Amino acid sequence: MHNGKARAFTNIALIKYWGKKDPKLILPMNSSLSLTLDAFYTETSVSFSKDYTEDLFYLDGYLQEGEKKMQKVSRLLNLARKQAGIYDHAVVHSHNFVPTAAGLASSASGLAALAGACNEALALNLSSTELSRFARKGSGSACRSIYGGFAEWKKGDSDQTSFALPVDANQWENELAMIFIITNDKAKKISSRNGMQQTVETSLYYNDWLKAAEADIKTAKNAIANQDFHALGEVIEANCLKMHATTLAATPPFSYWTPDSLKAMNKVYEMRQNGQNCYFTMDAGPNVKVLCPKKDSQKIYNDLQKEFSEQQLVLAHAGKGIESLETEVSK
Ligand code: 2P0
C-alpha cells in the first residue's frame, strides 16, 4: 500500500488560458498568469494497492462513476503509475473546501492536489517544475496551483517546456484581495474544455485573441513588477472581456454571461466611477471576481452587499502553494 495526501488552493487567471494547441498533452495556445487564493482549496488522498481491482474516485464522499467523471483523474493515475513502474489500482478521496454551497468546485485545485498526492504516495520526488508539468496533464489551470501568489504558465511548445513558474511580486500579492460574486446560475453551461475547443476551431476573433494575450501578459507582469494596481486592473479586465468576446464570434456562438453577471460588471464600473479601486474578471462561467487592494476590500464588500446577498459574496486573499499532508498509517 502506498499512501499520499496533499492540499492545493485554487487559482484565478488574471490573463486567461483559452485554447489548446495539443488537447492530449494539454499544451496551451497562449501563456497565462494567475493569482492563487486562500478561500477555496482541495484536499486529496490517494492509495495504490495490489489488493484493489479497479480505480475508484470519491468526491466529497460520493463515488464518481463513468468515464467522463473519471477522465482527468484516470489520466494522472496512469501517468503516475507509469513513472513509478507499478500497475496497482488506486482509491482517491477528494474534498473540496468552499465557503458556500454554490458549486465553486475547481479543477485547478483538484487536479493539483491529486498530482501532489501521487507524488507523495509513489515517492516520485518531483521538483515544483516537474509537479506543475504533471498537474498540467490533468487540467491545464492546475499547473498554476503548485505555487502561492502569482504564477505564470509558460505555454512552451512541448511537454517538457510547458509548465508554470512563480512570479515574484515582492510580497505585493499580500496587499491584494479578490471578492467572488456568486451569481448562482441554473442555466446549462458549456464546459471550459469544450468552450475553448469550439472557440479555437471556429471563432473569427481567435487569432486576434492570441496576439492580445501575448501583449497582455507582458503588461500584467510589468504592472506586478511596479506594484501598479491600476495598470494591473485595467489589463486583467480587458483581457477577460477579450476572452469572452471570442465566444460570441464562435460557431455556434455562445456566452457564459447571465443578467446577474452584467449586473455585477456594471456595479464594478459604477464603483470605479465613484473612486473605488476595483476591476473584474470572469472565467468559463457566470460568476464575477473583483480584484481590489486589501485595504479597500471591506468598503468594496459593503458596497457589493447593497446589490448581492451575503451568501453570494466571498472575500479571498492570496493563498499558499501546494502542501503535503500526513496520511493515516496503513496496516
Ligand atoms: C484559466 N480557464 O486560465 C481559464 C480561463 C477558464 C477560463 O483554465 O481542459 O479546467 O482541464 O485544461 O483548466 C478552465 O479550464 O481546462 C480554465 P482543461 P481547465 O483559468
Side-chain angles (χ1 to χ4, degrees):
M1 177 89 85
H2 306 280
N3 294 329
K5 190 171 181 182
R7 175 192 297 134
F9 291 82
T10 200
N11 72 76
I12 293 297
L14 302 178
I15 304 299
K16 308 296 181 186
Y17 148 49
W18 195 237
K20 295 179 181 67
K21 186 161 58 186
D22 183 331
K24 195 155 180 285
L25 285 173
I26 313 197
L27 300 180
M29 294 288 267
N30 63 282
S31 298
S32 53
L33 188 142
S34 60
L35 181 62
T36 297
L37 295 168
D38 63 354
F40 310 99
Y41 59 95
T42 304
E43 287 183 3
T44 297
S45 62
V46 62
S47 56
F48 292 87
S49 169
K50 289 191 173 37
D51 298 338
Y52 300 147
T53 53
E54 60 179 327
D55 289 338
L56 295 176
F57 169 38
Y58 293 87
L59 180 58
D60 294 323
Y62 295 98
L63 181 63
Q64 305 294 299
E65 288 178 287
E67 205 181 318
K68 199 157 177 280
K69 287 186 177 163
M70 284 292 287
Q71 188 189 22
K72 294 182 179 186
V73 168
S74 299
R75 182 86 200 284
L76 284 194
L77 292 176
N78 289 338
L79 287 167
R81 278 188 284 253
K82 195 171 170 199
Q83 174 122 359
I86 62 161
Y87 296 94
D88 301 5
H89 286 292
V91 175
V92 176
H93 284 276
S94 200
H95 291 278
N96 281 324
F97 291 81
V98 293
T100 71
L104 276 171
S106 160
S107 63
S109 56
L111 276 297
L114 178 61
C118 289
N119 186 33
E120 287 298 313
L122 301 177
L124 299 177
N125 293 317
L126 301 179
S127 65
S128 296
T129 300
E130 289 165 334
L131 192 56
S132 174
R133 198 187 284 136
F134 177 40
R136 186 200 85 224
K137 286 180 262 195
S139 193
S141 54
C143 78
R144 300 183 308 236
S145 274
I146 304 305
Y147 310 102
F150 294 106
E152 180 186 1
W153 175 9
K154 297 191 181 279
K155 64 179 177 175
D157 54 11
S158 64
D159 181 24
Q160 281 300 309
T161 55
S162 186
F163 51 81
L165 289 172
V167 174
D168 184 8
N170 217 353
Q171 312 283 322
W172 185 49
E173 67 272 18
N174 297 325
E175 292 171 37
L176 300 176
M178 190 175 269
I179 303 171
F180 287 67
I181 306 174
I182 297 155
T183 57
N184 270 329
D185 174 56
K186 301 276 187 295
K188 195 170 160 221
K189 279 184 262 171
I190 301 178
S191 74
S192 52
R193 196 163 271 198
N194 293 340
M196 67 173 87
Q197 192 59 26
Q198 190 172 317
T199 307
V200 171
E201 286 167 8
T202 68
S203 179
L204 269 180
Y205 300 159
Y206 194 72
N207 279 334
D208 287 334
W209 155 258
L210 287 181
K211 275 186 226 147
E214 292 304 320
D216 288 349
I217 211 155
K218 287 194 187 115
T219 307
K221 282 169 71 177
N222 276 336
I224 290 169
N226 296 329
Q227 304 195 352
D228 183 339
F229 179 76
H230 291 287
L232 183 64
E234 269 176 24
V235 72
I236 71 149
E237 193 172 282
N239 181 266
C240 147
L241 291 170
K242 283 177 258 189
M243 177 200 121
H244 285 269
T246 65
T247 71
L248 296 178
T251 308
F254 65 100
S255 173
Y256 291 107
W257 296 2
T258 62
D260 265 354
S261 313
L262 282 164
K263 181 174 138 184
M265 287 187 262
N266 281 322
K267 180 69 185 167
V268 171
Y269 290 142
E270 182 196 302
M271 289 193 295
R272 224 163 47 227
Q273 269 168 2
N274 292 334
Q276 299 269 46
N277 298 317
C278 53
Y279 294 86
F280 65 76
T281 188
M282 284 180 71
D283 293 292
N287 298 326
V288 175
K289 294 117 193 176
V290 183
L291 185 72
C292 60
K294 193 174 182 176
K295 64 178 173 47
D296 301 338
S297 60
Q298 198 54 52
K299 165 120 186 48
I300 290 170
Y301 185 97
N302 293 346
D303 272 5
L304 288 169
Q305 260 194 321
K306 292 174 192 155
E307 303 277 348
F308 300 96
S309 69
E310 207 172 319
Q311 290 72 33
Q312 290 180 277
L313 299 175
V314 179
L315 175 60
H317 300 106
K320 294 183 282 188
I322 193 164
E323 300 167 317
S324 300
L325 301 172
E326 292 289 313
T327 51
E328 292 88 49
V329 179
S330 63
K331 302 245 163 56

